[in-house]
Amino acid sequence: MADEPRRRYDNFLHQNLNILHGAVLRNGQVTEQELLDAFRQYQDDGEIRLPLQVPANRERQDQRVRLIFGSAIFLFVLIATPLISIGLEYAISIRCLVPNNYLVWEATRPVSNCDFCRNVRGPLIFGNLTQEEFKPYAYSSSPMILKNAISHWPATKLLNYTFLRDLYVKIPGALDSVQIDCQFLHFKSNFLTLRDVFAMSQSRAEFRKGEAPWYVGWSNCHPQVLTELRKLYPRPHFLPEDAEMPNTDFIFLGYEQGAVMHLDYIPRLMWQGQVKGNKSWILAPTPECDSQCRSFSFYVEPGDAVLVDTRLWYHGTYVPKGEFSLTIQSEYG
């Protein structure tokens, strides 16, 4: 009689394996050869290995445990596989969620030696420095604020949501270029494309009473749009003569939200001009430096320039309740 529970277990297992076999093959995530190879790893002279010389009571208990455990795994795989597949396909299809290799970068980044944050308690705050005055700090990893450094930019008076919308709409291909060649960041908003942003109602664009807040960002790599916008914000006068800049700038605008804590995996240092509104920054050291460094926050106002080595400092931003913020960001190095 000891063989009867084993036969029932074998029949149950074979039936469930056949169902699972068909399910994963239909899903397309596993090939028939891969299943065959996995099955062979658990074979021994054509027989599935089972414990030998186990007392009958103990064997029946173990079989019940295996049945319950095997059924739970089977049901989990059967239910979770299509859900995971759908989730991955959706995540990959939406470029603005997170760069495809961001998690790889995060997992493989070099360990910090903590020199960049040791004894740093806040940003260095300067007035509107000249190029010569800024030179000693230009390639430092110390966070800095240059007060009123960009207050002379025409952008502080002319650049707003409406200007950007009209510019992108009138230039053929500009809206689509953000999704195809550039990068769109929806943050906490429900916009999936820049076209969605510029299609919102005027009421929401102005964050009138009853409307949901929104905050977005995107890289501007369309040559014609870039040319037009850079007429409103010249190269920052304090940057060194030898500083190279990319042919792409970022624009961030919106209400009451901001960026969650993250690192930027970019090749150069970063500067950001606070064109309109106020914004608060939160900086934190890398986890391995928590015992030697500290987190802190600071506040920037319209006309200020902020410089942070976002490759080393974890950083997040938020906009005060009810207020609008617009910033221009680029790199140098």
Side-chain angles (χ1 to χ4, degrees):
M1 297 299 293
D3 288 339
E4 183 60 26
R6 174 177 171 172
R7 281 195 296 271
R8 288 199 302 270
Y9 171 74
D10 287 347
N11 289 336
F12 177 84
L13 180 61
H14 292 163
Q15 290 172 4
N16 285 342
L17 285 175
N18 284 334
I19 295 172
L20 181 58
H21 174 272
V24 296
L25 285 180
R26 285 194 300 273
N27 183 265
Q29 303 299 314
V30 180
T31 67
E32 187 169 0
Q33 183 61 45
E34 289 171 334
L35 284 174
L36 183 59
D37 291 341
F39 178 75
R40 283 173 176 165
Q41 292 178 10
Y42 292 91
Q43 283 187 316
D44 184 12
D45 298 329
E47 292 290 328
I48 297 177
R49 290 193 292 270
L50 293 172
L52 299 178
Q53 298 178 346
V54 177
N57 291 339
R58 176 65 181 276
E59 183 178 358
R60 284 194 293 273
Q61 291 175 357
D62 290 346
Q63 287 172 352
R64 283 195 294 271
V65 171
R66 286 197 294 269
L67 282 172
I68 295 172
F69 186 68
S71 300
I73 292 177
F74 167 72
L75 290 174
F76 175 79
V77 171
L78 198 61
I79 295 171
T81 298
L83 293 178
I84 293 172
S85 177
I86 292 170
L88 288 174
E89 289 175 3
Y90 177 77
I92 292 172
S93 66
I94 305 299
R95 292 181 61 195
C96 58
L97 289 181
V98 67
N100 291 340
N101 49 357
Y102 185 87
L103 295 180
V104 176
W105 289 337
E106 187 73 7
T108 60
R109 66 172 178 80
V111 176
S112 303
N113 63 12
C114 306
D115 288 344
F116 75 96
C117 61
R118 195 176 290 111
N119 299 320
V120 177
R121 297 293 180 263
L124 301 173
I125 301 177
F126 301 105
N128 186 7
L129 299 183
T130 65
Q131 189 178 74
E132 190 64 27
E133 291 169 334
F134 181 68
K135 188 174 181 179
Y137 309 97
Y139 297 106
S140 165
S141 60
S142 297
M144 292 173 276
I145 300 174
L146 274 60
K147 301 296 292 182
N148 295 313
I150 66 158
S151 57
H152 62 286
W153 284 2
T156 60
K157 296 181 176 63
L158 302 176
L159 195 58
N160 53 36
Y161 169 85
T162 302
F163 183 99
L164 290 165
R165 180 193 62 195
D166 294 346
L167 178 64
Y168 270 88
V169 168
K170 78 177 183 181
I171 296 178
L175 284 171
D176 294 329
S177 72
V178 175
Q179 298 301 125
I180 298 173
D181 302 314
C182 307
Q183 183 182 11
F184 177 76
L185 303 168
H186 63 69
F187 298 113
K188 298 178 184 178
S189 71
N190 61 342
F191 301 121
L192 297 181
T193 68
L194 186 59
R195 192 180 295 274
D196 294 338
V197 174
F198 290 144
M200 80 171 93
S201 67
Q202 193 65 28
S203 176
R204 188 176 182 192
E206 296 174 0
F207 190 35
R208 296 176 188 168
K209 186 176 181 179
E211 297 287 357
W214 56 274
Y215 185 85
V216 297
W218 68 91
S219 59
N220 173 27
C221 60
H222 190 283
Q224 191 174 348
V225 174
L226 192 64
T227 298
E228 290 300 314
L229 287 179
R230 284 187 172 177
K231 293 177 182 177
L232 303 182
Y233 58 91
R235 171 192 171 100
H237 65 276
F238 51 82
L239 292 183
E241 289 285 353
D242 62 353
E244 297 180 355
M245 294 181 61
N247 292 321
T248 302
D249 297 334
F250 269 86
I251 300 168
F252 298 96
L253 75 160
Y255 293 86
E256 286 196 7
Q257 298 179 352
V260 297
M261 295 293 284
H262 66 286
L263 286 180
D264 290 338
Y265 293 91
I266 55 178
R268 303 177 178 90
L269 293 162
M270 182 281 299
W271 63 264
Q272 186 174 112
Q274 189 68 35
V275 176
K276 290 185 181 296
N278 306 290
K279 182 188 286 186
S280 290
W281 286 71
I282 304 173
L283 299 190
T286 49
E288 61 269 24
C289 298
D290 280 344
S291 62
Q292 303 179 54
C293 305
R294 59 177 291 179
S295 303
F296 57 89
S297 62
F298 58 89
Y299 191 72
V300 290
E301 300 175 295
D304 292 348
V306 59
L307 297 100
V308 176
D309 192 340
T310 54
R311 304 167 301 178
L312 296 175
W313 288 96
Y314 278 90
H315 57 286
T317 61
Y318 64 92
V319 181
K321 185 175 179 61
E323 294 190 22
F324 176 79
S325 171
L326 190 157
T327 57
I328 300 294
Q329 177 179 304
S330 194
E331 302 167 25
Y332 74 97

